[in-house]
């Protein structure tokens, strides 16, 4: 059975882009800070529009922010 | 604490109070004087009003679209939807259980008072509110304080 795992680089990108805070990122992409926390910790997989907004905020492609690993178990 | 989480706690307790207080009064009236039309109507109104609590965040989101501060986003919406779904699943199970228990107690040829029906409805709404609030809090609670790891 395939086990899927979503990984993201949001935390790293935040620090690489002028150390913007979770609140600042949340305001830019139109969500709450708790949602950014949940995304960073991998507890919440964002919708495609939100994923695009996050990627565009950092000026990178969506694949550079979110990675999808499929592992056979 | 997230504002929506605070609201969940508020709905959880206010919802329960809205059902339990008039519910208790209705039960008292029913046993003391027999059910009359006026308290049943009043009670139904409160229950319907209370039962629509879950819609408030969605309405607030529509109304407060222009506000800069975001308090209800896609994750909150998803949590709310899942919680409502959990509430309906448990509500359905409750009604099935209530029907089976009633059938087991009075038997296939027995009969029950129609007064049982509004009380069963009240129980269902209390359970729905409770489960919905609980499901919201469990989903927000995952990951500890403030949703952090």
């Amino acid at each position: 059975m395939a086990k899927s795992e979503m990984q993201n680089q949001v935390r790293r990108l935040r620090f690489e882009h002028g150390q913007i805070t979770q609140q600042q990122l949340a305001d830019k992409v139109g969500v709450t800070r708790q949602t950014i926390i949940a995304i960073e910790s991998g507890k919440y997989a964002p919708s495609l529009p939100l994923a695009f907004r996050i990627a565009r905020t950092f000026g990178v492609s969506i694949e550079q922010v979110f990675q999808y690993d499929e592992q056979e178990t | 604490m997230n504002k929506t989480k605070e609201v969940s706690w508020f709905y959880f307790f206010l919802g329960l109070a809205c059902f339990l207080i008039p519910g208790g009064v209705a039960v008292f009236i029913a046993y003391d004087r027999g059910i009359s039309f006026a308290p049943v109507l009043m009670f139904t109104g409160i229950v319907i009003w209370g039962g629509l609590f879950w819609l408030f965040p969605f309405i607030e989101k529509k109304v407060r679209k222009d506000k800069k501060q975001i308090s209800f986003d896609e994750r909150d919406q998803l949590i709310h939807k899942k919680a409502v779904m959990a509430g309906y699943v448990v509500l359905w199970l409750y009604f099935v259980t209530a029907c089976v228990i009633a059938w087991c107690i009075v038997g296939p040829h027995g009969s029950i008072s129609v007064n049982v029906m509004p009380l069963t409805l009240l129980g269902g709404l209390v359970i729905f509110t409770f489960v919905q609030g609980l499901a919201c809090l469990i989903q927000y609670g995952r990951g500890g304080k403030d949703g952090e790891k």
Side-chain angles (χ1 to χ4, degrees):
Chain A
M1 196 181 155
K3 186 187 174 186
S4 62
E5 202 66 52
M6 275 269 286
Q7 289 177 345
N8 70 80
Q9 308 297 322
V10 176
R11 191 176 178 82
R12 184 179 61 78
L13 286 164
R14 269 198 307 114
F15 284 100
E16 285 178 3
H17 286 75
Q19 295 199 337
I20 62 169
T21 63
Q22 290 171 330
Q23 187 62 61
Q24 285 170 327
L25 177 61
D27 291 340
K28 279 182 182 174
V29 297
V31 294
T32 60
R33 190 176 71 89
Q34 283 70 27
T35 298
I36 298 297
I37 293 167
I39 291 169
E40 281 187 4
S41 58
K43 291 185 195 314
Y44 174 65
S47 65
L48 265 177
L50 177 57
F52 274 112
R53 286 204 299 274
I54 292 171
R56 282 176 188 175
T57 301
F58 294 126
V60 295
S61 68
I62 202 164
E63 289 86 359
Q64 286 176 277
V65 186
F66 298 97
Q67 293 84 40
Y68 180 75
D69 295 330
E70 200 171 29
Q71 295 164 342
E72 285 294 324
T73 54
Chain B
M1 190 188 283
N2 184 355
K3 194 200 164 211
T4 319
K5 194 175 177 181
E6 284 173 20
V7 172
S8 290
W9 277 109
F10 175 73
Y11 288 163
F12 182 70
F13 287 114
L14 190 68
L16 272 186
C18 280
F19 294 141
L20 291 176
I21 295 167
V25 172
V27 170
F28 176 76
I29 291 169
Y31 277 94
D32 194 46
R33 302 176 200 167
I35 288 183
S36 70
F37 204 55
V40 170
L41 262 185
M42 180 191 76
F43 171 65
T44 307
I46 293 167
V47 164
I48 290 169
W49 174 248
L52 297 176
F53 268 157
W54 65 273
L55 274 174
F56 289 178
F58 294 96
I59 294 166
E60 192 191 354
K61 193 191 174 190
K62 291 272 178 199
V63 172
R64 300 179 68 185
K65 225 171 187 176
D66 54 325
K67 298 268 179 177
K68 204 179 174 186
Q69 185 69 30
I70 293 139
S71 59
F72 190 76
D73 61 13
E74 61 171 48
R75 178 172 157 264
D76 300 310
Q77 211 164 347
L78 193 67
I79 286 173
H80 245 76
K81 279 180 182 171
K82 281 182 182 174
V84 169
M85 199 178 285
Y88 276 119
V89 167
V90 175
L91 181 68
W92 172 247
L93 291 173
Y94 161 79
F95 279 126
V96 170
T97 310
C99 290
V100 171
I101 288 172
W103 188 83
C104 289
I105 291 172
V106 298
H109 303 296
S111 62
I112 55 170
S113 165
V114 286
N115 291 347
V116 172
M117 293 174 76
L119 294 176
T120 309
L121 182 67
L122 168 73
L125 287 167
V126 169
I127 285 173
F128 175 79
T129 311
F130 183 78
V131 171
Q132 190 212 337
L134 195 65
C136 263
L137 293 170
I138 287 170
Q139 289 178 88
Y140 280 122
R142 274 183 198 161
K145 193 186 172 189
D146 222 12
E148 290 173 65
K149 255 185 179 174

